[in-house]
Amino acid sequence: MSEHSDDQGGSAVRRGDGDRSGTGGQWRIRFDAEVVFGNGGGLETRGFLLDVPDAEIGDGELAELFVRHLGLLMVDKVHIRSREAVREPHKGSRGVTDTAGGPRESVRGQGARRIVDLSHTIRHGMTTYPGLPGPEIGEHLTRDASREVYAPGTEFAIGRISMVSNTGTYLDSPFHRFGAGHDLAALPIDRFTDLDGVVVRVQDTGGRAVDREALLPYDVPGRAVLIHTGWDRHWGTDRYGHGHPYLTAGAVALLVERGAALVGIDSLNIDDTDDGTRPAHTGLLAAGIPVVEHLRGLDRLPPRGFRFHAAPPAVEAMGTFPVRAYALLDDDGDTNDDHEPGADPA
């Protein structure tokens, strides 16, 4: 694959030569690249030309711009070779000239809307996280007992539940990690309801760690970013509690830098539970970004064009609570996504 300039009169300058400030004009980089995908396969380009903010851009940042421009999914590594700077006008490379763009409008049709439930059912004695007790569900007032209280033919049941707050599909507020952070009652409701959503597909990549390269193609500012690992298929089994996918500190730094509104995952934990520093929780919650864990059914969502909701009750002095997470999308929306390398998620 290659991209050829339609202006062959550009002035090429090898890295390390001359004035690189770009004050005399705009710069592009011509380079060769080798891409390795996390789910197998690869891609090679020769003589690719890409708009850059200045000629001294590092290979790492150039690789990120390249991935965003092509909308590549499931990228593991990018190797840049044979680069040269070319002083010529920008051609409008995608994701390059406006990398910090704000949220786009979601697709909101006039027809019927469809709801996709993304929450696990809470049941008596169930296990959410190994080592934490399951919920105890019972009755405070039985129907039989209520007949002695109300008029003939009228009866009610009042249930009771005892559980830890990390049960089922739940939301973490900053108070979960930081004593001075917003608790569930103080967290603004617009941080977890009616959010434009985007799904990041990383299932079946063969690795546990979801790094920043997997997120590069996605437009995340102001959005609920839902990480689809496919780990929810192990829910209710011993397998669910061990060897789960998680976000790396680098991936979290990118989400914070780009201003994600909320981050969710269909896995046991957004962190590697072998890492006691919990960098994902620490980074996201320090930035005021709520976390939703133990989602399910993300395979039923399109890559984008839906609204995400995950509202907990407003409980003071508590940082975590179960939610009924769901997505709202147009009934005629296409939820089939090939998820192949090279597909554009935006």
Side-chain angles (χ1 to χ4, degrees):
M1 176 185 292
S2 63
E3 177 188 83
H4 302 281
S5 170
D6 54 8
D7 178 3
Q8 300 300 320
S11 174
V13 182
R14 289 286 178 182
R15 189 170 187 177
D17 298 336
D19 176 20
R20 294 308 192 80
S21 66
T23 54
Q26 295 178 324
W27 289 94
R28 308 182 83 202
I29 297 290
R30 179 183 289 115
F31 59 96
D32 298 343
E34 179 185 1
V35 181
V36 179
F37 294 106
N39 61 342
L43 174 71
E44 292 190 13
T45 69
R46 294 182 180 180
F48 200 96
L49 270 166
L50 193 65
D51 300 347
V52 293
D54 88 55
E56 290 292 346
I57 186 173
D59 284 353
E61 187 178 355
L62 178 62
E64 293 191 5
L65 295 183
F66 173 66
V67 169
R68 284 204 294 267
H69 174 66
L70 292 183
L72 299 176
L73 305 181
M74 299 184 180
V75 171
D76 184 26
K77 293 181 175 60
V78 179
H79 303 286
I80 302 293
R81 298 184 301 270
S82 304
R83 56 176 283 167
E84 63 177 345
V86 180
R87 190 192 297 272
E88 67 178 24
H90 285 176
K91 301 299 189 292
S93 300
R94 292 183 306 164
V96 176
T97 56
D98 185 20
T99 58
R104 303 177 184 177
E105 294 183 4
S106 64
V107 179
R108 300 183 74 94
Q110 299 300 314
R113 308 303 301 281
R114 185 157 58 88
I115 295 175
V116 178
D117 193 348
L118 304 174
S119 299
H120 291 289
T121 299
I122 295 176
R123 295 184 172 91
H124 177 80
M126 63 179 276
T127 297
T128 297
Y129 192 97
L132 294 181
E136 299 177 5
I137 302 174
E139 294 177 301
H140 171 72
L141 178 68
T142 67
R143 296 187 184 278
D144 287 344
S146 75
R147 294 173 189 147
E148 300 178 4
V149 179
Y150 301 101
T154 302
E155 61 183 39
F156 294 93
I158 299 177
R160 67 186 308 272
I161 182 169
S162 175
M163 66 180 183
V164 297
S165 58
N166 293 49
T167 295
T169 302
Y170 53 78
L171 178 140
D172 293 336
S173 72
F175 185 76
H176 177 54
R177 172 67 177 80
F178 303 101
H182 284 323
D183 61 17
L184 295 170
L187 191 64
I189 197 168
D190 62 0
R191 299 309 303 270
F192 46 76
T193 60
D194 200 25
L195 296 171
D196 193 14
V198 58
V199 177
V200 177
R201 311 284 189 193
V202 294
Q203 75 278 25
D204 303 322
T205 60
R208 297 177 56 207
V210 180
D211 212 343
R212 61 183 289 122
E213 287 79 9
L215 304 174
L216 289 175
Y218 295 89
D219 190 9
V220 306
R223 287 191 165 116
V225 182
L226 309 183
I227 312 299
H228 175 207
T229 72
W231 199 250
D232 58 325
R233 66 185 181 274
H234 299 302
W235 176 261
T237 71
D238 290 340
R239 182 77 178 92
Y240 186 77
H242 306 281
H244 66 282
Y246 60 90
L247 292 186
T248 66
V252 168
L254 182 118
L255 290 168
V256 171
E257 174 188 335
R258 293 194 181 176
L262 175 148
V263 179
I265 193 167
D266 58 354
S267 179
L268 175 79
N269 200 299
I270 203 166
D271 269 302
D272 179 0
T273 53
D274 292 330
D275 185 348
T277 66
R278 296 296 196 269
H281 279 91
T282 299
L284 292 170
L285 297 179
I289 300 173
V291 172
V292 179
E293 293 171 309
H294 309 285
L295 289 164
R296 71 173 180 92
L298 296 182
D299 58 311
R300 300 169 59 199
L301 296 181
R304 59 162 301 191
F306 61 91
R307 309 296 291 184
F308 179 75
H309 304 255
V315 184
E316 290 186 347
M318 186 167 287
T320 300
F321 207 83
V323 295
R324 189 67 178 267
Y326 64 93
L328 188 64
L329 59 156
D330 293 334
D331 193 40
D332 58 354
D334 181 11
T335 61
N336 294 321
D337 179 18
D338 291 335
H339 323 318
E340 290 297 326
D344 183 359

